[in-house]
Amino acid sequence: MGMDAADLVIGKKVTIKTTTSEEFDGVIYGVDRDQNCLALFELGSMNAARQAFRMFNLSYVEEVKEFSGDDTPLGDHFKPNAELPKIPTDKLKQKVEEQRAERKKKIGHDVTIEAQDVFDYIAKTLPCEWDKDTIVIFDIVTLSSPYTPNALAAKEGGHGGDRAKATLEQVKKILSDRQRKEEQKKGN
Protein backbone atom coordinates (compact mmCIF):
# COMPACT_ATOMS: atom_id res chain seq x y z
CA MET A 1 0.00 0.00 0.00
CA GLY A 2 1.30 3.46 -0.91
CA MET A 3 0.30 4.94 2.44
CA ASP A 4 1.21 3.65 5.88
CA ALA A 5 -1.65 2.19 7.92
CA ALA A 6 -1.17 5.04 10.38
CA ASP A 7 -2.08 7.46 7.56
CA LEU A 8 -5.57 5.96 7.23
CA VAL A 9 -7.16 8.85 9.08
CA ILE A 10 -10.88 9.51 9.09
CA GLY A 11 -11.63 12.66 7.11
CA LYS A 12 -8.52 12.47 4.92
CA LYS A 13 -9.00 12.92 1.15
CA VAL A 14 -7.45 9.98 -0.68
CA THR A 15 -7.31 8.12 -3.96
CA ILE A 16 -7.59 4.37 -3.57
CA LYS A 17 -6.20 2.05 -6.24
CA THR A 18 -7.39 -1.55 -6.02
CA THR A 19 -5.56 -4.69 -7.10
CA THR A 20 -7.77 -4.62 -10.24
CA SER A 21 -6.35 -1.13 -11.07
CA GLU A 22 -9.63 0.71 -10.37
CA GLU A 23 -9.26 4.12 -8.74
CA PHE A 24 -11.68 5.83 -6.37
CA ASP A 25 -11.42 9.36 -4.99
CA GLY A 26 -13.03 10.11 -1.68
CA VAL A 27 -12.79 10.80 1.99
CA ILE A 28 -11.97 8.09 4.51
CA TYR A 29 -15.19 7.72 6.48
CA GLY A 30 -14.15 4.83 8.70
CA VAL A 31 -11.42 2.25 9.21
CA ASP A 32 -11.74 -1.09 11.00
CA ARG A 33 -8.32 -2.59 11.48
CA ASP A 34 -9.72 -5.78 13.07
CA GLN A 35 -11.86 -6.48 9.99
CA ASN A 36 -9.19 -5.05 7.68
CA CYS A 37 -11.64 -2.75 5.89
CA LEU A 38 -12.12 0.89 5.02
CA ALA A 39 -15.26 2.93 4.26
CA LEU A 40 -14.82 5.63 1.62
CA PHE A 41 -17.24 8.51 1.02
CA GLU A 42 -16.91 9.20 -2.70
CA LEU A 43 -16.20 12.82 -3.58
CA GLY A 44 -18.39 12.75 -6.69
CA SER A 45 -21.43 12.10 -4.51
CA MET A 46 -20.84 15.07 -2.19
CA ASN A 47 -23.68 17.12 -3.67
CA ALA A 48 -25.64 14.29 -5.28
CA ALA A 49 -29.13 13.30 -4.20
CA ARG A 50 -27.80 9.87 -3.20
CA GLN A 51 -24.47 9.83 -1.48
CA ALA A 52 -22.18 6.90 -2.23
CA PHE A 53 -20.04 4.96 0.18
CA ARG A 54 -17.71 2.17 -0.81
CA MET A 55 -16.35 -0.52 1.45
CA PHE A 56 -12.87 -1.85 0.73
CA ASN A 57 -11.17 -4.94 2.03
CA LEU A 58 -7.66 -3.59 2.55
CA SER A 59 -6.20 -6.88 1.30
CA TYR A 60 -7.43 -5.86 -2.17
CA VAL A 61 -6.15 -2.29 -2.00
CA GLU A 62 -2.91 -1.83 -3.88
CA GLU A 63 -2.33 1.82 -3.03
CA VAL A 64 -3.78 4.63 -0.93
CA LYS A 65 -2.39 8.05 -1.74
CA GLU A 66 -3.32 11.58 -0.84
CA PHE A 67 -5.94 13.05 -3.15
CA SER A 68 -4.34 15.36 -5.72
CA GLY A 69 -7.50 16.69 -7.40
CA ASP A 70 -9.36 19.94 -6.80
CA ASP A 71 -10.03 21.16 -3.30
CA THR A 72 -13.68 20.04 -3.06
CA PRO A 73 -15.18 21.21 0.22
CA LEU A 74 -15.92 18.33 2.55
CA GLY A 75 -19.22 19.60 3.88
CA ASP A 76 -20.58 19.20 7.38
CA HIS A 77 -20.01 15.44 7.51
CA PHE A 78 -16.29 15.77 8.07
CA LYS A 79 -15.84 18.86 10.20
CA PRO A 80 -13.77 18.10 13.28
CA ASN A 81 -15.97 17.81 16.36
CA ALA A 82 -19.11 18.19 14.25
CA GLU A 83 -22.19 17.94 16.41
CA LEU A 84 -24.03 14.69 15.88
CA PRO A 85 -27.80 14.78 15.54
CA LYS A 86 -29.77 14.35 18.74
CA ILE A 87 -31.15 10.87 19.28
CA PRO A 88 -34.71 10.82 20.65
CA THR A 89 -33.93 8.45 23.53
CA ASP A 90 -37.43 8.70 25.02
CA LYS A 91 -38.94 7.42 21.75
CA LEU A 92 -36.33 4.66 21.55
CA LYS A 93 -37.07 3.57 25.13
CA GLN A 94 -40.79 3.54 24.38
CA LYS A 95 -40.21 1.44 21.25
CA VAL A 96 -38.02 -1.01 23.18
CA GLU A 97 -40.71 -1.38 25.84
CA GLU A 98 -43.38 -1.98 23.20
CA GLN A 99 -41.21 -4.63 21.53
CA ARG A 100 -40.51 -6.28 24.90
CA ALA A 101 -44.25 -6.39 25.70
CA GLU A 102 -44.96 -7.81 22.23
CA ARG A 103 -42.31 -10.54 22.68
CA LYS A 104 -43.67 -11.35 26.13
CA LYS A 105 -47.12 -12.05 24.63
CA LYS A 106 -45.50 -14.62 22.36
CA ILE A 107 -43.96 -16.65 25.17
CA GLY A 108 -46.19 -19.22 26.83
CA HIS A 109 -46.05 -19.68 30.60
CA ASP A 110 -46.01 -23.18 32.04
CA VAL A 111 -46.07 -24.76 28.57
CA THR A 112 -43.81 -27.43 27.15
CA ILE A 113 -41.00 -26.72 24.72
CA GLU A 114 -42.99 -28.48 22.00
CA ALA A 115 -46.02 -26.28 22.72
CA GLN A 116 -43.86 -23.17 22.32
CA ASP A 117 -42.41 -24.60 19.10
CA VAL A 118 -45.95 -25.15 17.75
CA PHE A 119 -46.88 -21.57 18.70
CA ASP A 120 -43.75 -20.17 17.02
CA TYR A 121 -44.46 -22.20 13.87
CA ILE A 122 -48.05 -20.95 13.63
CA ALA A 123 -46.97 -17.37 14.44
CA LYS A 124 -44.77 -17.33 11.33
CA THR A 125 -47.95 -17.43 9.25
CA LEU A 126 -50.88 -16.29 11.38
CA PRO A 127 -51.33 -13.82 14.22
CA CYS A 128 -51.73 -15.71 17.48
CA GLU A 129 -51.31 -15.27 21.22
CA TRP A 130 -51.33 -17.30 24.39
CA ASP A 131 -54.32 -17.55 26.73
CA LYS A 132 -52.78 -19.46 29.64
CA ASP A 133 -51.76 -22.74 27.92
CA THR A 134 -54.06 -22.33 24.91
CA ILE A 135 -52.99 -20.83 21.60
CA VAL A 136 -55.57 -18.38 20.23
CA ILE A 137 -55.43 -17.70 16.49
CA PHE A 138 -57.22 -14.65 15.00
CA ASP A 139 -59.19 -14.52 18.25
CA ILE A 140 -61.59 -17.09 16.73
CA VAL A 141 -59.73 -20.44 16.84
CA THR A 142 -58.09 -22.15 19.80
CA LEU A 143 -55.47 -24.87 19.97
CA SER A 144 -55.06 -26.68 23.27
CA SER A 145 -52.78 -29.43 24.51
CA PRO A 146 -51.61 -31.75 22.90
CA TYR A 147 -51.41 -29.08 20.14
CA THR A 148 -52.45 -31.38 17.30
CA PRO A 149 -55.14 -30.85 14.63
CA ASN A 150 -57.59 -32.81 16.80
CA ALA A 151 -57.20 -30.20 19.56
CA LEU A 152 -58.35 -27.33 17.31
CA ALA A 153 -61.69 -25.67 18.00
CA ALA A 154 -63.66 -22.58 17.08
CA LYS A 155 -63.60 -20.22 20.04
CA GLU A 156 -66.75 -20.40 22.16
CA GLY A 157 -69.05 -17.46 21.67
CA GLY A 158 -67.12 -16.46 18.57
CA HIS A 159 -68.86 -15.04 15.55
CA GLY A 160 -66.30 -16.32 13.05
CA GLY A 161 -68.57 -18.55 10.90
CA ASP A 162 -66.89 -19.13 7.54
CA ARG A 163 -63.77 -17.34 8.70
CA ALA A 164 -63.45 -19.72 11.66
CA LYS A 165 -63.82 -22.74 9.34
CA ALA A 166 -61.22 -21.35 6.93
CA THR A 167 -58.84 -20.59 9.80
CA LEU A 168 -59.33 -24.10 11.24
CA GLU A 169 -58.39 -25.58 7.86
CA GLN A 170 -55.38 -23.30 7.49
CA VAL A 171 -54.07 -24.14 10.97
CA LYS A 172 -54.57 -27.86 10.24
CA LYS A 173 -52.39 -27.46 7.15
CA ILE A 174 -49.76 -25.57 9.15
CA LEU A 175 -49.72 -28.27 11.85
CA SER A 176 -49.50 -31.04 9.22
CA ASP A 177 -46.60 -29.23 7.55
CA ARG A 178 -44.82 -28.87 10.89
CA GLN A 179 -45.37 -32.55 11.71
CA ARG A 180 -44.05 -33.59 8.28
CA LYS A 181 -40.91 -31.48 8.76
CA GLU A 182 -40.36 -32.89 12.26
CA GLU A 183 -40.63 -36.44 10.90
CA GLN A 184 -38.14 -35.60 8.14
CA LYS A 185 -35.68 -34.31 10.77
CA LYS A 186 -36.02 -37.52 12.78
CA GLY A 187 -35.50 -39.59 9.62
CA ASN A 188 -32.20 -37.84 8.80
Side-chain angles (χ1 to χ4, degrees):
M1 213 176 336
M3 196 179 247
D4 190 282
D7 290 331
L8 297 178
V9 177
I10 294 173
K12 189 170 203 162
K13 286 185 185 181
V14 295
T15 297
I16 292 180
K17 182 178 179 184
T18 66
T19 55
T20 58
S21 298
E22 293 176 281
E23 288 194 2
F24 301 93
D25 297 329
V27 178
I28 297 175
Y29 196 78
V31 178
D32 186 334
R33 296 188 198 306
D34 293 332
Q35 298 297 321
N36 199 35
C37 66
L38 176 141
L40 183 77
F41 182 79
E42 287 193 280
L43 289 177
S45 67
M46 195 66 72
N47 297 319
R50 281 180 48 114
Q51 297 175 336
F53 287 87
R54 289 197 184 262
M55 293 296 295
F56 293 92
N57 180 331
L58 291 174
S59 302
Y60 298 98
V61 172
E62 187 174 295
E63 183 178 25
V64 178
K65 56 187 176 188
E66 285 199 51
F67 180 69
S68 59
D70 65 346
D71 198 20
T72 307
L74 295 179
D76 293 338
H77 299 294
F78 301 101
K79 286 183 179 173
N81 302 321
E83 188 173 318
L84 295 173
K86 301 288 184 219
I87 298 174
T89 55
D90 53 333
K91 286 183 182 179
L92 288 174
K93 286 178 186 176
Q94 180 182 353
K95 188 172 183 176
V96 166
E97 287 303 315
E98 288 169 2
Q99 289 172 341
R100 185 176 291 142
E102 204 54 39
R103 278 194 304 266
K104 209 173 188 181
K105 281 197 253 179
K106 297 188 181 298
I107 298 173
H109 299 282
D110 297 325
V111 297
T112 64
I113 293 172
E114 185 170 350
Q116 185 65 51
D117 286 345
V118 169
F119 178 92
D120 294 341
Y121 199 83
I122 294 170
K124 289 179 186 176
T125 309
L126 300 172
C128 55
E129 57 186 40
W130 285 103
D131 180 13
K132 298 182 181 143
D133 64 346
T134 301
I135 300 171
V136 181
I137 302 116
F138 277 130
D139 205 29
I140 55 175
V141 172
T142 61
L143 178 60
S144 303
S145 183
Y147 308 102
T148 61
N150 294 336
L152 277 169
K155 196 170 180 185
E156 289 183 29
H159 305 288
D162 290 339
R163 185 172 178 214
K165 288 178 187 173
T167 303
L168 282 167
E169 289 304 311
Q170 190 173 5
V171 175
K172 283 180 184 178
K173 288 178 185 176
I174 292 169
L175 292 172
S176 296
D177 183 57
R178 180 186 176 279
Q179 185 177 9
R180 182 183 53 78
K181 286 182 178 180
E182 288 295 316
E183 288 171 0
Q184 284 178 344
K185 280 185 191 176
K186 289 178 184 175
N188 289 338

